[in-house]
Amino acid sequence: MSKVRKEKMEKLKRKSRRKHLMNELSYMTLPENPFLDIEENHLFCQKVFAFLHSREHKIQIHGDNYREHIEKSTQMLKEIVSRVKVTPKQGRLIFFREHEIEAILVNVNECFTHLNQLLEQTKFSSGYGDFILVAEDFHFGLCIERTEYFYELSTWGL
C-alpha cells in the first residue's frame, strides 16, 4: 500500500474514532467542531504535558493500592468542583484512547455536572487515564495525574 493511501486510511480511521467518541458523549452539549486538527491536537497535548511537568506544589494523593488512589482522587476532585464559584466557559478535556490522545472542547459547567460519567469515559475510574481539564490558553486547569506510587493533583485559576 502506498504511503499516501496509508495516511489517508489512518485519517479516516481517526475520524471514525472521533465520531464514536462524540456518540459516547451524546449526553453533553458539545460545540460543532470540538476537536483540534490532528497535528494541532498533538501539539496541544504536548504543551499540556510539558506544562503539567513544570508545575510545582502538586498535592500528592496516597492510598494503600491503586483502587484507593482512584477513590481518594475522585473524592478530592468532587470537593474541588463543589467549591468552584465562577465556572470558566470552556476547556479541553483529555481523553486517552487506544490509538491516540484527544483534547476535546467541552463546556466546563457540563463537565462538572457529568463528572461521574466523564471519569468513566476518560478511563480515570479504572486507573487507565489521567483526568486533565485545561483552558486552551492554560488560564485554568484541574488535573490528576497517575505516577508510579501515588496520584498528583494540580489546580490553578479556579
Side-chain angles (χ1 to χ4, degrees):
M1 191 181 316
S2 74
K3 184 179 178 182
V4 173
R5 194 165 185 201
K6 203 174 197 176
E7 287 174 1
K8 185 175 181 178
M9 193 156 40
E10 284 304 314
K11 281 186 178 184
L12 289 172
K13 286 179 184 178
R14 177 100 181 238
K15 188 175 180 180
S16 175
R17 288 189 295 267
R18 283 179 165 192
K19 185 176 180 181
H20 180 71
L21 179 56
M22 291 279 294
N23 289 339
E24 287 180 29
L25 296 170
S26 62
Y27 57 88
M28 292 182 66
T29 307
L30 298 174
E32 190 170 319
N33 190 5
F35 295 101
L36 294 167
D37 172 74
I38 292 171
E39 187 59 32
E40 284 179 278
N41 184 77
H42 180 73
L43 293 172
F44 179 78
C45 290
Q46 282 182 327
K47 286 180 187 175
V48 168
F49 295 122
F51 181 81
L52 290 174
H53 183 71
S54 71
R55 290 209 29 98
E56 297 178 5
H57 310 298
K58 296 178 184 179
I59 298 170
Q60 292 184 1
I61 304 168
H62 293 272
D64 291 333
N65 54 52
Y66 88 96
R67 180 63 30 216
E68 198 171 302
H69 291 322
I70 295 167
E71 290 168 7
K72 286 183 174 186
S73 299
T74 301
Q75 182 181 0
M76 287 185 80
L77 190 60
K78 289 178 180 180
E79 288 172 11
I80 291 168
V81 165
S82 71
R83 290 192 308 249
V84 174
K85 300 221 184 310
V86 178
T87 308
K89 186 168 174 71
Q90 292 184 320
R92 290 217 173 257
L93 183 61
I94 307 294
F95 283 85
F96 295 84
R97 306 314 261 181
E98 290 179 34
H99 300 282
E100 60 266 324
I101 300 173
E102 293 289 1
I104 189 166
L105 190 63
V106 295
N107 175 298
V108 175
N109 196 37
E110 267 195 88
C111 187
F112 290 171
T113 300
H114 299 289
L115 188 59
N116 288 332
Q117 286 172 286
L118 289 170
L119 289 172
E120 289 292 324
Q121 287 180 299
T122 58
K123 299 187 177 169
F124 181 81
S125 294
S126 62
Y128 174 72
D130 300 334
F131 183 85
I132 301 173
L133 174 65
V134 297
E136 288 185 295
D137 61 0
F138 295 88
H139 183 69
F140 75 86
L142 177 56
C143 309
I144 299 180
E145 301 172 272
R146 298 164 299 137
T147 69
E148 190 171 352
Y149 300 108
F150 51 85
Y151 282 27
E152 290 182 326
L153 170 68
S154 181
T155 62
W156 67 94
L158 292 172

